[in-house]
Amino acid sequence: MALSTGSNKIKTAVFISGSGSNLNSLIKFSKLKKSPISIDIIITNNPKSKGLKFGKVFKIKKKIFNFKKKNLAEKQILFELKRKKINLICLAGFMKILSKTFIKNFSGKILNIHPSLLPKFKGLNTHERAIKNKEKYSGCTVHFVSSKLDSGKIILQKKVIINKSETPKTLGKKILIQEHKLYPRAILKVFSL
Ligand code: GAR
């Protein structure tokens, strides 16, 4: 596998709240020569986020912001991102909704991964709702972030079959495996020359 120095890549911040498996896959992708991005900072609202360990493993700077005061947190994040000359934000299991003002500041430069086939099942508990609704398929979507929740332009989607015996847990696991492949593919689709 070809590794690159990352010097002329798009400087990227990844925002997480939980286990960070998408962050891990994005970091690994970023180290490939073909990757148009480097990951320069990890941002979280959750000091207990398990994904923070990847910052340590890969020596990437991480910062925790308290979203109890969301306006202040967003201002501090913007300051930090501008200081580090970040040009792209990848939301990867980030469970806070960013304000319109924040999104405007990074207009067209925020991507998100969502565990459903949007526009179906925006918001939370997607797997429960897909199973309850007796859907034959679910999946994941990478999209641009707009001011309307989970509604920005879709970049790529991946479908998975929902089996008869499927539980939200098994479906979630199955979709997560696809997420890890889909996010890098979507980044390549948007940013490759
Ligand atoms: C992923 O399934 C992601 O699609 C979802 O949270 C999980 C995070 O897993 N995101 C959302 O639901 C956003 N609304 P990870 O922390 O292991 O990457």
Side-chain angles (χ1 to χ4, degrees), residues 16-24 49 51 91-95 112-116 123-127 140-141 149-150 172 175-176 179-180:
I16 62 168
S17 298
S19 58
S21 69
N22 275 292
L23 165 67
N24 187 29
S49 174
L91 305 182
F94 184 64
M95 303 313 273
N112 181 41
I113 188 152
H114 184 76
S116 78
L124 299 176
N125 305 317
T126 54
H127 312 314
C140 44
T141 304
L149 183 70
D150 298 331
I175 291 177
L176 200 55
E179 291 184 36
H180 300 158

PDB file of all heavy atoms in Angstrom, residues 16-24 49 51 91-95 112-116 123-127 140-141 149-150 172 175-176 179-180, ligand 1:
ATOM      1  N   ILE A  16     -16.638  13.389  15.996  1.00  0.00           N
ATOM      2  CA  ILE A  16     -17.202  12.118  16.487  1.00  0.00           C
ATOM      3  C   ILE A  16     -17.914  12.333  17.826  1.00  0.00           C
ATOM      4  O   ILE A  16     -17.671  13.341  18.508  1.00  0.00           O
ATOM      5  CB  ILE A  16     -16.106  11.041  16.681  1.00  0.00           C
ATOM      6  CG1 ILE A  16     -15.071  11.488  17.754  1.00  0.00           C
ATOM      7  CG2 ILE A  16     -15.386  10.741  15.364  1.00  0.00           C
ATOM      8  CD1 ILE A  16     -14.133  10.380  18.206  1.00  0.00           C
ATOM      9  N   SER A  17     -18.748  11.344  18.189  1.00  0.00           N
ATOM     10  CA  SER A  17     -19.340  11.359  19.532  1.00  0.00           C
ATOM     11  C   SER A  17     -19.213  10.016  20.231  1.00  0.00           C
ATOM     12  O   SER A  17     -19.390   9.929  21.446  1.00  0.00           O
ATOM     13  CB  SER A  17     -20.837  11.710  19.470  1.00  0.00           C
ATOM     14  OG  SER A  17     -21.048  12.986  18.944  1.00  0.00           O
ATOM     15  N   GLY A  18     -18.959   8.947  19.455  1.00  0.00           N
ATOM     16  CA  GLY A  18     -19.026   7.608  20.041  1.00  0.00           C
ATOM     17  C   GLY A  18     -17.808   6.749  19.786  1.00  0.00           C
ATOM     18  O   GLY A  18     -16.676   7.174  20.041  1.00  0.00           O
ATOM     19  N   SER A  19     -18.052   5.561  19.217  1.00  0.00           N
ATOM     20  CA  SER A  19     -16.970   4.567  19.145  1.00  0.00           C
ATOM     21  C   SER A  19     -15.909   4.882  18.097  1.00  0.00           C
ATOM     22  O   SER A  19     -14.804   4.353  18.155  1.00  0.00           O
ATOM     23  CB  SER A  19     -17.546   3.173  18.932  1.00  0.00           C
ATOM     24  OG  SER A  19     -18.305   3.186  17.749  1.00  0.00           O
ATOM     25  N   GLY A  20     -16.254   5.668  17.112  1.00  0.00           N
ATOM     26  CA  GLY A  20     -15.225   6.165  16.188  1.00  0.00           C
ATOM     27  C   GLY A  20     -14.742   5.153  15.153  1.00  0.00           C
ATOM     28  O   GLY A  20     -13.653   5.316  14.606  1.00  0.00           O
ATOM     29  N   SER A  21     -15.561   4.139  14.851  1.00  0.00           N
ATOM     30  CA  SER A  21     -15.080   3.170  13.858  1.00  0.00           C
ATOM     31  C   SER A  21     -14.984   3.806  12.468  1.00  0.00           C
ATOM     32  O   SER A  21     -14.096   3.450  11.687  1.00  0.00           O
ATOM     33  CB  SER A  21     -15.963   1.914  13.840  1.00  0.00           C
ATOM     34  OG  SER A  21     -17.231   2.205  13.335  1.00  0.00           O
ATOM     35  N   ASN A  22     -15.879   4.731  12.155  1.00  0.00           N
ATOM     36  CA  ASN A  22     -15.747   5.449  10.871  1.00  0.00           C
ATOM     37  C   ASN A  22     -14.507   6.342  10.870  1.00  0.00           C
ATOM     38  O   ASN A  22     -13.833   6.471   9.856  1.00  0.00           O
ATOM     39  CB  ASN A  22     -16.994   6.293  10.584  1.00  0.00           C
ATOM     40  CG  ASN A  22     -18.091   5.474   9.924  1.00  0.00           C
ATOM     41  OD1 ASN A  22     -17.955   5.045   8.782  1.00  0.00           O
ATOM     42  ND2 ASN A  22     -19.165   5.235  10.656  1.00  0.00           N
ATOM     43  N   LEU A  23     -14.217   6.943  12.018  1.00  0.00           N
ATOM     44  CA  LEU A  23     -12.986   7.742  12.128  1.00  0.00           C
ATOM     45  C   LEU A  23     -11.781   6.863  11.822  1.00  0.00           C
ATOM     46  O   LEU A  23     -10.901   7.245  11.033  1.00  0.00           O
ATOM     47  CB  LEU A  23     -12.875   8.324  13.545  1.00  0.00           C
ATOM     48  CG  LEU A  23     -11.504   8.877  13.919  1.00  0.00           C
ATOM     49  CD1 LEU A  23     -11.166  10.120  13.092  1.00  0.00           C
ATOM     50  CD2 LEU A  23     -11.425   9.207  15.412  1.00  0.00           C
ATOM     51  N   ASN A  24     -11.735   5.673  12.408  1.00  0.00           N
ATOM     52  CA  ASN A  24     -10.620   4.747  12.193  1.00  0.00           C
ATOM     53  C   ASN A  24     -10.476   4.434  10.703  1.00  0.00           C
ATOM     54  O   ASN A  24      -9.364   4.467  10.153  1.00  0.00           O
ATOM     55  CB  ASN A  24     -10.878   3.473  13.017  1.00  0.00           C
ATOM     56  CG  ASN A  24      -9.706   2.523  12.990  1.00  0.00           C
ATOM     57  OD1 ASN A  24      -8.555   2.936  12.846  1.00  0.00           O
ATOM     58  ND2 ASN A  24      -9.993   1.240  13.115  1.00  0.00           N
ATOM     59  N   SER A  49     -15.975   9.592  24.573  1.00  0.00           N
ATOM     60  CA  SER A  49     -16.023   8.970  23.247  1.00  0.00           C
ATOM     61  C   SER A  49     -14.872   7.976  23.069  1.00  0.00           C
ATOM     62  O   SER A  49     -13.701   8.339  23.175  1.00  0.00           O
ATOM     63  CB  SER A  49     -15.937  10.083  22.200  1.00  0.00           C
ATOM     64  OG  SER A  49     -15.839   9.515  20.927  1.00  0.00           O
ATOM     65  N   GLY A  51     -13.824   6.670  20.490  1.00  0.00           N
ATOM     66  CA  GLY A  51     -13.059   6.988  19.283  1.00  0.00           C
ATOM     67  C   GLY A  51     -11.852   7.876  19.549  1.00  0.00           C
ATOM     68  O   GLY A  51     -10.939   7.950  18.720  1.00  0.00           O
ATOM     69  N   LEU A  91     -18.315  14.566   9.343  1.00  0.00           N
ATOM     70  CA  LEU A  91     -19.045  14.132  10.530  1.00  0.00           C
ATOM     71  C   LEU A  91     -19.104  12.607  10.485  1.00  0.00           C
ATOM     72  O   LEU A  91     -19.501  12.026   9.468  1.00  0.00           O
ATOM     73  CB  LEU A  91     -20.464  14.724  10.537  1.00  0.00           C
ATOM     74  CG  LEU A  91     -20.569  16.252  10.407  1.00  0.00           C
ATOM     75  CD1 LEU A  91     -22.030  16.690  10.471  1.00  0.00           C
ATOM     76  CD2 LEU A  91     -19.756  16.955  11.494  1.00  0.00           C
ATOM     77  N   ALA A  92     -18.688  11.974  11.581  1.00  0.00           N
ATOM     78  CA  ALA A  92     -18.623  10.507  11.607  1.00  0.00           C
ATOM     79  C   ALA A  92     -19.191  10.024  12.934  1.00  0.00           C
ATOM     80  O   ALA A  92     -18.459   9.816  13.900  1.00  0.00           O
ATOM     81  CB  ALA A  92     -17.180  10.041  11.413  1.00  0.00           C
ATOM     82  N   GLY A  93     -20.515   9.925  12.987  1.00  0.00           N
ATOM     83  CA  GLY A  93     -21.161   9.562  14.246  1.00  0.00           C
ATOM     84  C   GLY A  93     -21.144  10.718  15.223  1.00  0.00           C
ATOM     85  O   GLY A  93     -21.066  10.514  16.433  1.00  0.00           O
ATOM     86  N   PHE A  94     -21.235  11.940  14.684  1.00  0.00           N
ATOM     87  CA  PHE A  94     -21.298  13.123  15.550  1.00  0.00           C
ATOM     88  C   PHE A  94     -22.775  13.380  15.848  1.00  0.00           C
ATOM     89  O   PHE A  94     -23.562  13.603  14.928  1.00  0.00           O
ATOM     90  CB  PHE A  94     -20.668  14.325  14.843  1.00  0.00           C
ATOM     91  CG  PHE A  94     -20.612  15.568  15.694  1.00  0.00           C
ATOM     92  CD1 PHE A  94     -19.839  15.592  16.853  1.00  0.00           C
ATOM     93  CD2 PHE A  94     -21.327  16.707  15.352  1.00  0.00           C
ATOM     94  CE1 PHE A  94     -19.776  16.729  17.647  1.00  0.00           C
ATOM     95  CE2 PHE A  94     -21.268  17.859  16.134  1.00  0.00           C
ATOM     96  CZ  PHE A  94     -20.482  17.859  17.284  1.00  0.00           C
ATOM     97  N   MET A  95     -23.160  13.302  17.127  1.00  0.00           N
ATOM     98  CA  MET A  95     -24.573  13.267  17.477  1.00  0.00           C
ATOM     99  C   MET A  95     -25.124  14.621  17.933  1.00  0.00           C
ATOM    100  O   MET A  95     -26.150  14.678  18.607  1.00  0.00           O
ATOM    101  CB  MET A  95     -24.816  12.189  18.548  1.00  0.00           C
ATOM    102  CG  MET A  95     -24.348  10.801  18.116  1.00  0.00           C
ATOM    103  SD  MET A  95     -24.865  10.303  16.439  1.00  0.00           S
ATOM    104  CE  MET A  95     -26.461   9.600  16.803  1.00  0.00           C
ATOM    105  N   ASN A 112     -21.414  14.162   5.829  1.00  0.00           N
ATOM    106  CA  ASN A 112     -21.919  13.338   6.932  1.00  0.00           C
ATOM    107  C   ASN A 112     -22.199  11.938   6.422  1.00  0.00           C
ATOM    108  O   ASN A 112     -22.502  11.752   5.247  1.00  0.00           O
ATOM    109  CB  ASN A 112     -23.223  13.942   7.469  1.00  0.00           C
ATOM    110  CG  ASN A 112     -23.791  13.151   8.640  1.00  0.00           C
ATOM    111  OD1 ASN A 112     -23.036  12.701   9.515  1.00  0.00           O
ATOM    112  ND2 ASN A 112     -25.096  12.956   8.674  1.00  0.00           N
ATOM    113  N   ILE A 113     -22.076  10.970   7.334  1.00  0.00           N
ATOM    114  CA  ILE A 113     -22.529   9.613   7.007  1.00  0.00           C
ATOM    115  C   ILE A 113     -23.719   9.292   7.893  1.00  0.00           C
ATOM    116  O   ILE A 113     -23.704   9.567   9.095  1.00  0.00           O
ATOM    117  CB  ILE A 113     -21.404   8.559   7.129  1.00  0.00           C
ATOM    118  CG1 ILE A 113     -21.907   7.228   6.578  1.00  0.00           C
ATOM    119  CG2 ILE A 113     -20.876   8.403   8.550  1.00  0.00           C
ATOM    120  CD1 ILE A 113     -20.821   6.331   6.023  1.00  0.00           C
ATOM    121  N   HIS A 114     -24.752   8.739   7.256  1.00  0.00           N
ATOM    122  CA  HIS A 114     -25.999   8.463   7.978  1.00  0.00           C
ATOM    123  C   HIS A 114     -26.396   7.002   7.758  1.00  0.00           C
ATOM    124  O   HIS A 114     -26.343   6.513   6.628  1.00  0.00           O
ATOM    125  CB  HIS A 114     -27.101   9.406   7.478  1.00  0.00           C
ATOM    126  CG  HIS A 114     -28.378   9.247   8.236  1.00  0.00           C
ATOM    127  ND1 HIS A 114     -28.561   9.751   9.507  1.00  0.00           N
ATOM    128  CD2 HIS A 114     -29.533   8.600   7.921  1.00  0.00           C
ATOM    129  CE1 HIS A 114     -29.774   9.428   9.934  1.00  0.00           C
ATOM    130  NE2 HIS A 114     -30.381   8.734   8.988  1.00  0.00           N
ATOM    131  N   PRO A 115     -26.831   6.312   8.837  1.00  0.00           N
ATOM    132  CA  PRO A 115     -27.097   4.877   8.705  1.00  0.00           C
ATOM    133  C   PRO A 115     -28.504   4.539   8.205  1.00  0.00           C
ATOM    134  O   PRO A 115     -29.254   3.816   8.855  1.00  0.00           O
ATOM    135  CB  PRO A 115     -26.865   4.362  10.132  1.00  0.00           C
ATOM    136  CG  PRO A 115     -27.238   5.508  11.001  1.00  0.00           C
ATOM    137  CD  PRO A 115     -26.917   6.762  10.244  1.00  0.00           C
ATOM    138  N   SER A 116     -28.865   5.077   7.050  1.00  0.00           N
ATOM    139  CA  SER A 116     -30.113   4.685   6.378  1.00  0.00           C
ATOM    140  C   SER A 116     -29.997   5.084   4.920  1.00  0.00           C
ATOM    141  O   SER A 116     -29.067   5.808   4.541  1.00  0.00           O
ATOM    142  CB  SER A 116     -31.343   5.369   6.997  1.00  0.00           C
ATOM    143  OG  SER A 116     -31.435   6.706   6.542  1.00  0.00           O
ATOM    144  N   GLY A 123     -32.677  11.284  11.073  1.00  0.00           N
ATOM    145  CA  GLY A 123     -32.663  11.352  12.544  1.00  0.00           C
ATOM    146  C   GLY A 123     -32.163  10.075  13.195  1.00  0.00           C
ATOM    147  O   GLY A 123     -31.323   9.374  12.637  1.00  0.00           O
ATOM    148  N   LEU A 124     -32.737   9.772  14.371  1.00  0.00           N
ATOM    149  CA  LEU A 124     -32.193   8.688  15.214  1.00  0.00           C
ATOM    150  C   LEU A 124     -32.946   7.358  15.045  1.00  0.00           C
ATOM    151  O   LEU A 124     -33.986   7.311  14.385  1.00  0.00           O
ATOM    152  CB  LEU A 124     -32.256   9.120  16.689  1.00  0.00           C
ATOM    153  CG  LEU A 124     -31.451  10.373  17.052  1.00  0.00           C
ATOM    154  CD1 LEU A 124     -31.690  10.747  18.518  1.00  0.00           C
ATOM    155  CD2 LEU A 124     -29.963  10.179  16.788  1.00  0.00           C
ATOM    156  N   ASN A 125     -32.397   6.311  15.655  1.00  0.00           N
ATOM    157  CA  ASN A 125     -33.027   4.971  15.699  1.00  0.00           C
ATOM    158  C   ASN A 125     -33.413   4.452  14.315  1.00  0.00           C
ATOM    159  O   ASN A 125     -34.498   3.892  14.121  1.00  0.00           O
ATOM    160  CB  ASN A 125     -34.258   4.983  16.616  1.00  0.00           C
ATOM    161  CG  ASN A 125     -33.907   5.484  18.003  1.00  0.00           C
ATOM    162  OD1 ASN A 125     -32.866   5.105  18.550  1.00  0.00           O
ATOM    163  ND2 ASN A 125     -34.711   6.356  18.549  1.00  0.00           N
ATOM    164  N   THR A 126     -32.536   4.639  13.368  1.00  0.00           N
ATOM    165  CA  THR A 126     -32.847   4.299  11.969  1.00  0.00           C
ATOM    166  C   THR A 126     -33.107   2.794  11.794  1.00  0.00           C
ATOM    167  O   THR A 126     -34.013   2.416  11.052  1.00  0.00           O
ATOM    168  CB  THR A 126     -31.681   4.713  11.063  1.00  0.00           C
ATOM    169  OG1 THR A 126     -30.483   4.123  11.580  1.00  0.00           O
ATOM    170  CG2 THR A 126     -31.516   6.213  11.022  1.00  0.00           C
ATOM    171  N   HIS A 127     -32.313   1.952  12.469  1.00  0.00           N
ATOM    172  CA  HIS A 127     -32.443   0.503  12.244  1.00  0.00           C
ATOM    173  C   HIS A 127     -33.772  -0.028  12.812  1.00  0.00           C
ATOM    174  O   HIS A 127     -34.455  -0.805  12.158  1.00  0.00           O
ATOM    175  CB  HIS A 127     -31.256  -0.252  12.853  1.00  0.00           C
ATOM    176  CG  HIS A 127     -29.932   0.347  12.482  1.00  0.00           C
ATOM    177  ND1 HIS A 127     -29.625   0.714  11.195  1.00  0.00           N
ATOM    178  CD2 HIS A 127     -28.850   0.681  13.231  1.00  0.00           C
ATOM    179  CE1 HIS A 127     -28.415   1.229  11.160  1.00  0.00           C
ATOM    180  NE2 HIS A 127     -27.930   1.236  12.381  1.00  0.00           N
ATOM    181  N   CYS A 140     -26.689   2.812   3.991  1.00  0.00           N
ATOM    182  CA  CYS A 140     -26.059   4.030   4.500  1.00  0.00           C
ATOM    183  C   CYS A 140     -25.893   5.039   3.374  1.00  0.00           C
ATOM    184  O   CYS A 140     -25.879   4.675   2.195  1.00  0.00           O
ATOM    185  CB  CYS A 140     -24.730   3.720   5.182  1.00  0.00           C
ATOM    186  SG  CYS A 140     -23.671   2.567   4.293  1.00  0.00           S
ATOM    187  N   THR A 141     -25.752   6.290   3.784  1.00  0.00           N
ATOM    188  CA  THR A 141     -25.685   7.402   2.836  1.00  0.00           C
ATOM    189  C   THR A 141     -24.586   8.359   3.257  1.00  0.00           C
ATOM    190  O   THR A 141     -24.503   8.715   4.427  1.00  0.00           O
ATOM    191  CB  THR A 141     -27.022   8.197   2.860  1.00  0.00           C
ATOM    192  OG1 THR A 141     -28.101   7.300   2.590  1.00  0.00           O
ATOM    193  CG2 THR A 141     -27.007   9.339   1.850  1.00  0.00           C
ATOM    194  N   LEU A 149     -31.749  18.954   8.593  1.00  0.00           N
ATOM    195  CA  LEU A 149     -31.157  17.702   9.093  1.00  0.00           C
ATOM    196  C   LEU A 149     -31.243  16.553   8.080  1.00  0.00           C
ATOM    197  O   LEU A 149     -32.324  16.224   7.585  1.00  0.00           O
ATOM    198  CB  LEU A 149     -31.866  17.290  10.391  1.00  0.00           C
ATOM    199  CG  LEU A 149     -31.302  16.031  11.069  1.00  0.00           C
ATOM    200  CD1 LEU A 149     -29.929  16.295  11.654  1.00  0.00           C
ATOM    201  CD2 LEU A 149     -32.258  15.505  12.128  1.00  0.00           C
ATOM    202  N   ASP A 150     -30.092  15.946   7.803  1.00  0.00           N
ATOM    203  CA  ASP A 150     -29.991  14.755   6.945  1.00  0.00           C
ATOM    204  C   ASP A 150     -30.634  14.952   5.571  1.00  0.00           C
ATOM    205  O   ASP A 150     -31.210  14.010   5.001  1.00  0.00           O
ATOM    206  CB  ASP A 150     -30.608  13.518   7.646  1.00  0.00           C
ATOM    207  CG  ASP A 150     -29.867  13.166   8.935  1.00  0.00           C
ATOM    208  OD1 ASP A 150     -28.660  13.442   9.007  1.00  0.00           O
ATOM    209  OD2 ASP A 150     -30.495  12.628   9.859  1.00  0.00           O
ATOM    210  N   GLY A 172     -27.452  -2.930  12.340  1.00  0.00           N
ATOM    211  CA  GLY A 172     -26.486  -1.865  12.588  1.00  0.00           C
ATOM    212  C   GLY A 172     -25.066  -2.301  12.269  1.00  0.00           C
ATOM    213  O   GLY A 172     -24.300  -1.566  11.639  1.00  0.00           O
ATOM    214  N   ILE A 175     -24.569  -2.693   8.495  1.00  0.00           N
ATOM    215  CA  ILE A 175     -24.484  -1.393   7.812  1.00  0.00           C
ATOM    216  C   ILE A 175     -23.147  -0.710   8.116  1.00  0.00           C
ATOM    217  O   ILE A 175     -22.526  -0.113   7.240  1.00  0.00           O
ATOM    218  CB  ILE A 175     -25.694  -0.496   8.184  1.00  0.00           C
ATOM    219  CG1 ILE A 175     -26.964  -1.087   7.560  1.00  0.00           C
ATOM    220  CG2 ILE A 175     -25.477   0.944   7.718  1.00  0.00           C
ATOM    221  CD1 ILE A 175     -28.238  -0.364   7.902  1.00  0.00           C
ATOM    222  N   LEU A 176     -22.703  -0.843   9.374  1.00  0.00           N
ATOM    223  CA  LEU A 176     -21.446  -0.188   9.761  1.00  0.00           C
ATOM    224  C   LEU A 176     -20.276  -0.676   8.893  1.00  0.00           C
ATOM    225  O   LEU A 176     -19.412   0.120   8.498  1.00  0.00           O
ATOM    226  CB  LEU A 176     -21.172  -0.442  11.247  1.00  0.00           C
ATOM    227  CG  LEU A 176     -20.211   0.517  11.945  1.00  0.00           C
ATOM    228  CD1 LEU A 176     -20.638   1.966  11.803  1.00  0.00           C
ATOM    229  CD2 LEU A 176     -20.091   0.165  13.420  1.00  0.00           C
ATOM    230  N   GLU A 179     -20.461   1.213   5.858  1.00  0.00           N
ATOM    231  CA  GLU A 179     -20.102   2.621   6.075  1.00  0.00           C
ATOM    232  C   GLU A 179     -18.601   2.832   5.926  1.00  0.00           C
ATOM    233  O   GLU A 179     -18.144   3.821   5.348  1.00  0.00           O
ATOM    234  CB  GLU A 179     -20.550   3.085   7.470  1.00  0.00           C
ATOM    235  CG  GLU A 179     -22.048   3.175   7.638  1.00  0.00           C
ATOM    236  CD  GLU A 179     -22.445   3.739   8.993  1.00  0.00           C
ATOM    237  OE1 GLU A 179     -21.753   4.619   9.514  1.00  0.00           O
ATOM    238  OE2 GLU A 179     -23.465   3.277   9.543  1.00  0.00           O
ATOM    239  N   HIS A 180     -17.844   1.872   6.480  1.00  0.00           N
ATOM    240  CA  HIS A 180     -16.382   2.020   6.463  1.00  0.00           C
ATOM    241  C   HIS A 180     -15.821   2.056   5.046  1.00  0.00           C
ATOM    242  O   HIS A 180     -14.764   2.617   4.805  1.00  0.00           O
ATOM    243  CB  HIS A 180     -15.730   0.886   7.277  1.00  0.00           C
ATOM    244  CG  HIS A 180     -16.169   0.887   8.705  1.00  0.00           C
ATOM    245  ND1 HIS A 180     -16.105  -0.216   9.509  1.00  0.00           N
ATOM    246  CD2 HIS A 180     -16.704   1.875   9.467  1.00  0.00           C
ATOM    247  CE1 HIS A 180     -16.572   0.087  10.709  1.00  0.00           C
ATOM    248  NE2 HIS A 180     -16.943   1.353  10.706  1.00  0.00           N
TER     249      HIS A 180
HETATM  250  C1  GAR B   1     -22.601   5.218  12.462  1.00  0.00           C
HETATM  251  O1  GAR B   1     -23.511   4.181  12.184  1.00  0.00           O
HETATM  252  C2  GAR B   1     -23.068   6.512  11.815  1.00  0.00           C
HETATM  253  O2  GAR B   1     -23.652   6.334  10.554  1.00  0.00           O
HETATM  254  C3  GAR B   1     -24.090   6.977  12.815  1.00  0.00           C
HETATM  255  O3  GAR B   1     -23.522   6.712  14.069  1.00  0.00           O
HETATM  256  C4  GAR B   1     -22.660   5.568  13.964  1.00  0.00           C
HETATM  257  C5  GAR B   1     -21.304   5.967  14.484  1.00  0.00           C
HETATM  258  O4  GAR B   1     -20.442   4.849  14.561  1.00  0.00           O
HETATM  259  N1  GAR B   1     -24.377   8.378  12.645  1.00  0.00           N
HETATM  260  C6  GAR B   1     -25.545   8.911  12.924  1.00  0.00           C
HETATM  261  O5  GAR B   1     -26.485   8.270  13.348  1.00  0.00           O
HETATM  262  C7  GAR B   1     -25.619  10.397  12.661  1.00  0.00           C
HETATM  263  N2  GAR B   1     -26.964  10.840  12.716  1.00  0.00           N
HETATM  264  P1  GAR B   1     -18.878   5.059  14.761  1.00  0.00           P
HETATM  265  O6  GAR B   1     -18.704   6.037  15.934  1.00  0.00           O
HETATM  266  O7  GAR B   1     -18.369   3.693  15.101  1.00  0.00           O
HETATM  267  O8  GAR B   1     -18.308   5.605  13.499  1.00  0.00           O
END
